[in-house]
Amino acid sequence: MTYEPQALESKWRERWADAGRYEADPADDTDAEPTFITVPYPYPSGGMHIGHVRTYTVPDVYARYRRLQGDDVLFPIAWHVTGTPIIGAVERLKKGEEEQLSVLRDTYNVPEETLQDLETPMGFAHYFIENHYKTNMKALGLSIDWRREFTTNDDRYSKFITWQYETLKDRGLMERGLHPVKYCTNEDQPVTTHDILEGEEAEFQEYTLIRFSTDLDDEEVIAPMATLRPETVRGVTNAFVNPDATYVRATVDGESWLISEAAAEKFELQAREVEIHDRFAGSEVVGNAVTNPITGDDVLLLPAAFVDADNATGVVMSVPAHSPDDYVALQEAKADDDRMREYGIDPADVEAIEPIPILAIEGYGDVPAKDAVERAGIESSADSALHDVTADLYQDEFVGGRLIEEYDEFAGEVVEDVRERFREYHHDTGAFDTMHEFSEAVVCRCGGDVEVARQDTWFLRYDDAEWKAKAHEAVSQLEAIPENTREQYDHTIDWLNEWPAIRNYGLGTRLPWDQDFVIEPLSDSTIYMSYYTIAHQLQDIPVEDLDRDFFDALFYGKDAVDDPDERALELGEEWDFWYPVDFRCSANDLIQNHLTFFLFHHAELFDQPDWPQGITVMGMGLLEGQKMSSSKGHVVLPANAIEEYGADTVRFFLLNSSEPWQDFDWRADRVADTRNQLERFYNRAQDVIAADVPEDPEAHLESVDRWLLSKLQDAIADATEAMEGFETRAASQRIFYGIEEDLKWYRRRTDLDRPGARWTLREVLRTRLRMLAPFTPFMANEIHEDLTGEPAEEAAWPTVDETFVDPAVEAAESLVEDLTEDVRDIVDVTGTDPDVVRLYVAADWKHTVFETVLETGTNVGDVMSEVMSDPDLRERGNEVNDLVQELVELVRDGDRDTLAALGDVDEATVYEDAADFLGHEYDADVEVYVEGSEDVVDPGDKAGQAVPCRPAIHIE
């Protein structure tokens, strides 16, 4: 039989579907433990690529593992369509945008005649659900209960979300008010992380506005300048504007301001009253003097093309003593007399500008920025190192800079300790103001710019102290994988404040008490896991019956309402059987939002026994070392990969190439190698299946068979431990490659046609297939059924058979392996073609010393004290001392269990039993001697060099 994955896999897909193999119902068998595993439901605004494959295959592997452990396992999936990305994709399609058409036609192979079917949001979603996600998930063999699928636009799901938000509102955890939000200026509505194309990691930053003033057409106006370092205001020597950008004179909250046109729009979004009166180029105000509100000093406005008028106010204050950026910019301005004259500025006035120090810091002179620039050898603002030098100095000054005496009550204090008080003090005096800005540029998936806006919105009160405490408690009882993510959840809980939970429009559930708004995507995806447990049965209940009382009865029991619906109570039994969620598998970058929201909402809406038990996070995917990109066509479609390599290969490569929380890199040559390795495995398995085995294997087993069977038990223990910790790479490596290495040695060591060897190989294959079944379910089930008459998934995950655990046999075989390599090294180094290989086993007294080291430990003094109490050993003097030193190093560097087992091994017998093998390996006669025995033949005077576990070797 040849390995033909497509035919083999098609057979098993059909078989699983016909049998409803993975449809999970509460078990009648009380011994079966429920295991509930979930993964974020896909957002079908485009097709499925290879990065998604690992996302959904990791939980599938764990689900299959738990079934082999005897659990009743639920692994469901649904479709997240809430929000606007699908709507945006449809609009771009209807407009005929070339990039969108290219993605659909060229990347995801949507037929031309089908494009019109995608011109409605749900038509678009259903196309990718049916033709990409479901098709690929089934092709991959994901063990999903398809009865429970739904979309978040379904009427019944919306009733469930309505229940959740009415409950949170009644508990005082939703409020309405002004709040900073991410706001798409194209869609004119708030957006969240899921809607962001660029700048997903951007954070709100509260800038201090220093209220400088200037004259504009004989009118005094405020020229606000934004900074994150308000304490540097006394060091301002000049300011910059972009002469080519558009600026405005506008009334802001009743005052006349000079700001960029973009800033005026931002202030309006941030709930200020703005009226623009004049627009003009920045060049018209270059050369003006602006007055520092703290010092009263006038400083010049200089031209600078590097000023981004879209950032903050578009007017930038310069502190060259403490900002390397500003220091270099000032030096360049001083060197550009022609440009200064072009804008009517006397170069002498620029030349007269000198840095003004405002703090002292150890390791720097009076002008720290000058020192930092000169140390780094920076001579131009174009030097890429300037950014890092600036960041480093900012940090140094923050933690170590002390303000000078001109700061009065703040003098002598470290910046870190005084910044907030300084800002608040001058805010109260009216010299400072505030605005919000992002830490980086943010772009919506619709293509619009995203700005910080203050909106009158409904928000979730994640700042509520009691709710935070519950969320922290949920983290404390969580199995966080990897463990170092636990602190990330706690950190996110601590910094989360109010979260805007609504949109102006989009797909999803309407806010129950204000139908003008839609609940946003991250807010409607917090406890949907509970909906999976009853989704398939809710279809039989009229939508109008799914009111608040229905869900209260379902989740809180018959005492929660006056007249509970019996159907709700019945559904509650199934929910109670499956809950809590045992493991949530999700992306690492969702800790800062979705995963922490998941914990918040479970902690509030359910009792502690129903809180999530575990979360495993997953890394990102690369393609040939580069980030995947649908828009650039730099993706691999699962269907193409499955067609070329087979689903088992795709699964095994992704699971074996890295642990789930690590990034993986899909490389075609390595995937092809994996395909070849699976084919070799399949072919060797056919040979094992074809071989006859004895009915009484015990009578035929030799030492080397028992060695392999003992190593197999090690593999079972290692793989089981790895699977319990979601270490899919460690598990698959041990099961496939680790055992393969053992088999490679075994094939060298023995006659595979022996009855004992045939039975041993069959036992190893049978056990290995059951451990491979979660990873390569098609091939593993096929071979296991051929071998035993039942699929691997109908068997059980193997447990360690203590009758085969034999540390002494393993230790003895390790001696033969080490010796084989030692002889090979000598032969290679010397270029010898040996006729005779003589082995010298250490004398008995040396083994006595070895046993003493094992018993006493690796403290040389303790060992010497013990061995010197033996008169016979004491007579050997320095010889014993040298041996102790060597053996202590051996024991210190070695595995304690293996060394202890070696203490019970008769080395001479081990080598004598392996003499025929060694002779065959080197086409030489092998002679074994014990140091000090009468029959020793020692032409090379090597015997005395023998050490326990390290025989001396002489080659002739």
Side-chain angles (χ1 to χ4, degrees):
M1 296 175 64
T2 57
Y3 180 50
E4 297 178 356
Q6 280 71 24
L8 183 157
E9 291 164 7
S10 177
K11 163 190 165 182
W12 282 95
R13 286 187 205 106
E14 185 175 336
R15 184 165 162 178
W16 290 330
D18 290 346
R21 176 67 181 83
Y22 305 115
E23 293 177 359
D25 295 303
D28 295 328
D29 181 359
T30 55
D31 293 334
E33 290 290 329
T35 293
F36 184 17
I37 303 160
T38 68
V39 66
Y41 38 25
Y43 197 98
S45 58
M48 185 177 178
H49 59 66
I50 208 69
H52 298 120
V53 172
R54 190 178 70 155
T55 298
Y56 306 119
T57 306
V58 166
D60 180 66
V61 167
Y62 189 74
R64 289 178 174 278
Y65 165 70
R66 294 311 317 172
R67 290 191 191 94
L68 287 166
Q69 289 285 16
D71 291 2
D72 196 6
V73 177
L74 174 58
F75 177 36
I77 203 72
W79 316 104
H80 197 198
V81 300
T82 303
T84 59
I86 290 174
I87 294 174
V90 170
E91 290 303 313
R92 293 194 297 276
L93 168 63
K94 291 165 71 174
K95 290 176 182 176
E97 289 186 9
E98 191 53 43
E99 183 175 343
Q100 175 72 337
L101 288 170
S102 175
V103 169
L104 295 174
R105 292 169 177 154
D106 305 329
T107 302
Y108 292 120
N109 302 322
V110 179
E112 189 72 32
E113 63 274 15
T114 304
L115 287 174
Q116 63 182 10
D117 297 337
L118 276 63
E119 291 186 355
T120 65
M122 292 310 294
F124 193 102
H126 281 302
Y127 176 84
F128 284 107
I129 289 170
E130 296 298 330
N131 296 282
H132 276 253
Y133 283 97
K134 284 183 71 171
T135 299
N136 288 322
M137 288 175 171
K138 291 179 177 181
L140 287 161
L142 300 190
S143 55
I144 290 169
D145 183 348
W146 289 105
R147 299 173 302 163
R148 300 171 189 264
E149 67 173 316
F150 59 87
T151 74
T152 57
N153 210 39
D154 294 348
D155 290 342
R156 288 174 174 80
Y157 182 79
S158 289
K159 290 288 188 178
F160 163 72
I161 296 299
T162 296
W163 164 79
Q164 179 185 174
Y165 278 86
E166 287 178 339
T167 302
L168 291 172
K169 181 174 181 287
D170 286 353
R171 296 185 185 185
L173 296 174
M174 285 202 77
E175 288 188 358
R176 185 168 188 165
L178 284 174
H179 186 79
V181 299
K182 296 176 180 177
Y183 192 88
C184 176
T185 56
N186 182 44
E187 296 178 343
D188 286 329
Q189 71 165 347
V191 293
T192 57
T193 307
H194 279 203
D195 306 300
I196 303 301
L197 180 65
E198 298 176 13
E200 298 98 325
E201 304 298 322
E203 297 179 354
F204 295 133
Q205 291 182 319
E206 187 176 55
Y207 278 86
T208 298
L209 294 181
I210 312 297
R211 290 166 53 88
F212 285 80
S213 59
T214 188
D215 286 334
L216 199 62
D217 296 331
D218 297 325
E219 178 189 7
E220 183 175 349
V221 300
I222 302 299
M225 305 187 198
T227 181
L228 295 172
R229 301 196 303 155
E231 73 282 352
T232 63
V233 64
R234 284 187 168 275
V236 175
T237 61
N238 62 281
F240 294 110
V241 294
N242 189 326
D244 299 320
T246 300
Y247 288 78
V248 300
R249 181 174 61 84
T251 299
V252 179
D253 292 341
E255 291 185 318
S256 189
W257 282 21
L258 165 64
I259 50 179
S260 69
E261 184 176 38
E265 296 172 2
K266 293 181 182 184
F267 283 122
E268 190 168 16
L269 286 172
Q270 293 180 28
R272 292 179 182 261
E273 293 184 6
V274 179
E275 182 181 359
I276 296 175
H277 301 292
D278 299 305
R279 289 179 173 81
F280 44 85
S283 57
E284 292 190 26
V285 295
V286 168
N288 281 19
V290 293
T291 304
N292 189 320
I294 303 302
T295 66
D297 296 335
D298 289 340
V299 298
L300 279 175
L301 279 175
L302 300 182
F306 61 76
V307 170
D308 181 2
D310 290 337
N311 183 262
T313 68
V315 187
V316 180
M317 68 186 208
S318 172
V319 187
H322 300 282
S323 169
D325 280 333
D326 292 344
Y327 180 82
V328 173
L330 179 58
Q331 303 312 307
E332 291 180 340
K334 288 183 176 185
D336 197 353
D337 291 354
D338 290 343
R339 182 169 172 76
M340 295 304 111
R341 292 191 186 97
E342 179 185 340
Y343 290 104
I345 299 173
D346 186 344
D349 292 339
V350 180
E351 185 63 36
I353 298 173
E354 293 297 334
I356 303 173
I358 56 97
L359 57 78
I361 178 172
E362 187 175 345
Y364 294 89
D366 291 339
V367 182
K370 180 175 183 291
D371 293 344
V373 166
E374 291 178 351
R375 289 172 189 171
I378 293 172
E379 298 179 353
S380 165
S381 57
D383 192 323
S384 60
L386 184 57
H387 177 272
D388 291 338
V389 169
T390 299
D392 289 344
L393 180 58
Y394 283 5
Q395 180 62 21
D396 289 346
E397 291 192 342
F398 182 66
V399 299
R402 293 184 181 277
L403 298 177
I404 61 177
E405 62 181 17
E406 281 79 1
Y407 279 82
D408 299 327
E409 65 186 275
F410 303 106
E413 293 205 52
V414 175
V415 172
E416 183 176 17
D417 299 330
V418 78
R419 176 175 289 169
E420 288 305 309
R421 286 189 288 118
F422 183 82
R423 184 173 66 87
E424 290 169 9
Y425 174 82
H426 286 294
H427 188 279
D428 291 343
T429 67
F432 291 176
D433 203 332
T434 60
M435 76 174 294
H436 284 90
E437 183 66 280
F438 284 122
S439 57
E440 58 181 290
V442 183
V443 179
C444 180
R445 289 187 182 274
C446 74
D449 291 332
V450 176
E451 301 290 354
V452 181
R454 285 178 62 83
Q455 291 277 302
D456 184 19
T457 184
W458 283 95
F459 55 83
L460 288 157
R461 294 190 55 230
Y462 291 137
D463 60 339
D464 181 83
E466 290 185 11
W467 202 3
K468 280 184 182 288
K470 289 180 184 178
H472 278 303
E473 190 178 351
V475 173
S476 70
Q477 56 93 60
L478 184 75
E479 185 173 354
I481 298 177
E483 174 60 31
N484 62 14
T485 57
R486 186 182 307 279
E487 62 186 30
Q488 296 179 47
Y489 296 108
D490 283 323
H491 173 71
T492 302
I493 291 168
D494 286 337
W495 68 252
L496 267 175
N497 290 306
E498 300 97 340
W499 179 266
I502 59 171
R503 296 289 191 75
N504 295 338
Y505 76 97
L507 301 178
T509 301
R510 292 280 164 182
L511 193 66
W513 55 89
D514 193 340
Q515 294 286 309
D516 288 339
F517 298 106
V518 178
I519 297 171
E520 62 88 24
L522 284 166
S523 297
D524 86 338
S525 58
T526 55
I527 60 165
Y528 71 87
M529 311 79 202
S530 60
Y531 190 82
Y532 279 132
T533 65
I534 42 88
H536 59 311
Q537 298 193 58
L538 276 185
Q539 301 307 312
D540 298 328
I541 299 176
V543 173
E544 58 270 18
D545 291 355
L546 301 178
D547 56 13
R548 179 83 175 273
D549 283 353
F550 185 93
F551 285 106
D552 276 349
L554 194 163
F555 292 119
Y556 300 143
K558 63 182 180 180
D559 296 333
V561 297
D562 293 335
D563 184 21
D565 189 316
E566 289 298 325
R567 296 169 299 177
L569 297 179
E570 185 177 343
L571 291 179
E573 292 179 3
E574 177 147 1
W575 171 77
D576 188 58
F577 176 82
W578 292 115
Y579 245 60
V581 175
D582 290 278
F583 269 103
R584 177 82 172 152
C585 300
S586 191
N588 183 69
D589 60 346
L590 294 183
I591 290 176
Q592 65 181 338
N593 44 64
H594 163 70
L595 287 173
T596 302
F597 298 172
F598 164 68
L599 295 173
F600 261 104
H601 287 245
H602 274 83
E604 174 60 34
L605 293 169
F606 301 126
D607 293 333
Q608 186 168 353
D610 292 317
W611 292 357
Q613 300 297 293
I615 299 177
T616 297
V617 300
M618 287 182 278
M620 306 298 287
L622 302 175
L623 173 55
E624 304 293 345
Q626 302 295 318
K627 183 178 180 180
M628 296 186 198
S629 171
S630 298
S631 62
K632 297 177 181 177
H634 190 62
V635 294
V636 171
L637 299 187
N640 294 342
I642 292 168
E643 181 180 359
E644 183 172 359
Y645 305 109
D648 277 330
T649 294
V650 171
R651 291 172 61 104
F652 194 71
F653 175 82
L654 291 171
L655 295 160
N656 189 256
S657 60
S658 64
E659 296 296 3
W661 49 88
Q662 299 169 333
D663 294 347
F664 75 90
D665 188 0
W666 178 274
R667 291 185 178 270
D669 57 342
R670 295 179 187 172
V671 181
D673 288 344
T674 301
R675 163 68 171 76
N676 294 335
Q677 290 161 0
L678 291 182
E679 182 169 12
R680 283 195 295 273
F681 178 92
Y682 180 88
N683 292 337
R684 279 185 169 145
Q686 302 310 309
D687 294 338
V688 173
I689 293 170
D692 293 330
V693 297
E695 295 181 0
D696 55 341
E698 288 287 337
H700 299 277
L701 296 182
E702 296 181 359
S703 176
V704 70
D705 302 323
R706 295 190 179 279
W707 168 80
L708 182 58
L709 293 169
S710 186
K711 294 290 284 185
L712 180 64
Q713 309 317 305
D714 295 340
I716 293 170
D718 292 344
T720 303
E721 181 180 6
M723 289 299 294
E724 290 294 328
F726 265 89
E727 296 176 12
T728 58
R729 182 179 190 276
S732 56
Q733 285 274 329
R734 188 69 178 89
I735 296 163
F736 195 82
Y737 298 104
I739 294 177
E740 192 58 43
E741 284 299 307
D742 295 335
L743 282 166
K744 188 182 297 184
W745 175 252
Y746 180 76
R747 294 182 190 111
R748 285 174 65 183
R749 279 283 279 131
T750 194
D751 175 7
L752 299 180
D753 288 332
R754 289 186 301 103
R758 293 200 300 272
W759 183 88
T760 299
L761 288 173
R762 179 174 287 243
E763 178 64 14
V764 171
L765 177 61
R766 184 184 69 86
T767 302
R768 204 175 175 196
L769 288 168
R770 284 183 284 160
M771 293 193 288
L772 281 173
F775 299 91
T776 57
F778 302 98
M779 183 177 70
N781 277 306
E782 178 80 5
I783 299 173
H784 195 277
E785 189 169 68
D786 289 344
L787 183 70
T788 69
E790 68 173 352
E793 64 186 357
E794 299 295 340
W797 182 268
T799 57
V800 173
D801 187 339
E802 295 294 340
T803 63
F804 286 132
V805 176
D806 196 332
V809 167
E810 288 192 48
E813 195 62 26
S814 72
L815 291 176
V816 178
E817 287 186 85
D818 291 344
L819 175 63
T820 303
E821 293 306 310
D822 289 344
V823 173
R824 173 64 63 195
D825 288 343
I826 294 171
V827 168
D828 289 345
V829 169
T830 62
T832 305
D833 183 9
D835 293 320
V836 180
V837 176
R838 296 185 179 91
L839 309 177
Y840 303 96
V841 178
D844 289 346
W845 70 266
K846 292 183 178 179
H847 282 276
T848 300
V849 175
F850 180 48
E851 291 167 7
T852 302
V853 175
L854 289 176
E855 294 171 1
T856 306
T858 55
N859 182 288
V860 174
D862 292 345
V863 175
M864 288 300 297
S865 176
E866 190 68 28
V867 297
M868 286 306 173
S869 66
D870 184 325
D872 293 336
L873 293 176
R874 189 164 58 247
E875 288 182 4
R876 294 183 177 275
N878 289 336
E879 192 177 8
V880 172
N881 182 64
D882 292 343
L883 180 62
V884 166
Q885 299 282 347
E886 189 169 354
L887 290 177
V888 162
E889 288 300 316
L890 173 67
V891 171
R892 185 176 289 139
D893 296 339
D895 178 77
R896 294 287 300 183
D897 293 338
T898 301
L899 291 169
L902 284 171
D904 299 327
V905 170
D906 183 339
E907 274 194 75
T909 300
V910 169
Y911 299 136
E912 287 167 357
D913 290 345
D916 288 344
F917 160 71
L918 293 168
H920 181 268
E921 282 281 300
Y922 302 108
D923 192 22
D925 294 331
V926 175
E927 300 171 1
V928 180
Y929 301 99
V930 176
E931 176 191 3
S933 61
E934 295 181 358
D935 62 343
V936 173
V937 176
D938 190 12
D941 198 22
K942 295 283 189 178
Q945 299 174 15
V947 175
C949 307
R950 291 179 182 171
I953 302 168
H954 176 255
I955 293 178
E956 184 178 293

